[in-house]
Amino acid sequence: MGRRSDWTGTSCPTARGADVLGEPWTLLLLRDAHAGVTRFEQFREHLGIADNVLSARLARMVETGLFTRVPYRDGGRTRAEYRLTPAGADTLPILHAIAAWGDAHTSSPAASEPMRLVHTACGHSTRPGESCDHCGAEIERSGLRLVESWLHHFDLPLAEPVG
């Protein structure tokens, strides 16, 4: 399926943001990347996405600066990991807001815990930001853990961006 529209040339920041982030697979790939998923096979396994669609999405996310491609050796073969860039890392509040909206305004086919960010120092849930909602302490990305139990059972420190 081709792209619906190209809003790269508009002065509207919402349209430009939608141009980069508006495709559903992009948001799900970002969600998994924040939890530390980096490899093609892991994304495919978690999302059940077709290889050609995944390949095209990852290439677009590298092109738009959300991911950087980092080579690694797997046996005798060179493969790539896809790591969040600072721009990709900046999507965390967006994903958190979409998850909160989805939890409040859509129904789940099974009981599930909402996606949460946990401040590791105090152990309480918080929102992305400069300080913890519970204890008020200043928080760094490395001091947050993503808890997402309904699909992949993530309970991991947030992946650090590259660059």
Side-chain angles (χ1 to χ4, degrees):
M1 176 192 237
R3 295 183 64 213
R4 295 178 301 268
S5 297
D6 180 357
W7 295 310
T8 56
T10 184
S11 58
C12 176
T14 304
R16 291 191 318 270
D19 192 57
V20 174
L21 300 174
E23 205 278 329
W25 288 119
T26 298
L27 295 173
L28 298 175
L29 289 162
L30 285 164
R31 178 202 62 194
D32 283 8
H34 280 284
V37 174
T38 60
R39 297 186 175 180
F40 188 95
E41 297 79 18
Q42 294 171 312
F43 286 120
R44 181 179 59 208
E45 180 184 327
H46 288 178
L47 298 173
I49 185 173
D51 286 358
N52 63 326
V53 175
L54 177 56
S55 183
R57 274 295 95 207
L58 291 171
R60 173 89 171 123
M61 292 172 79
V62 168
E63 174 189 319
T64 59
L66 296 170
F67 285 165
T68 189
R69 203 169 184 267
V70 179
Y72 73 94
R73 296 289 290 168
D74 183 18
R77 205 171 156 190
T78 300
R79 295 179 180 250
E81 288 187 334
Y82 297 89
R83 303 276 181 96
L84 288 168
T85 63
D90 283 349
T91 64
L92 184 61
I94 297 165
L95 295 172
H96 192 263
I98 290 171
W101 185 91
D103 191 50
H105 299 289
T106 64
S107 59
S108 174
S112 65
E113 181 181 334
M115 181 177 95
R116 294 182 301 125
L117 293 174
V118 175
H119 180 213
T120 54
C122 73
H124 287 88
S125 294
T126 189
R127 291 169 293 173
E130 295 180 11
S131 62
C132 176
D133 293 339
H134 177 75
C135 70
E138 190 174 308
I139 49 176
E140 299 281 328
R141 184 178 175 83
S142 60
L144 291 173
R145 211 173 70 240
L146 177 67
V147 179
E148 179 251 87
S149 62
W150 62 92
L151 186 58
H152 310 307
H153 307 287
F154 291 138
D155 185 348
L156 303 165
L158 286 176
E160 288 295 324
V162 174

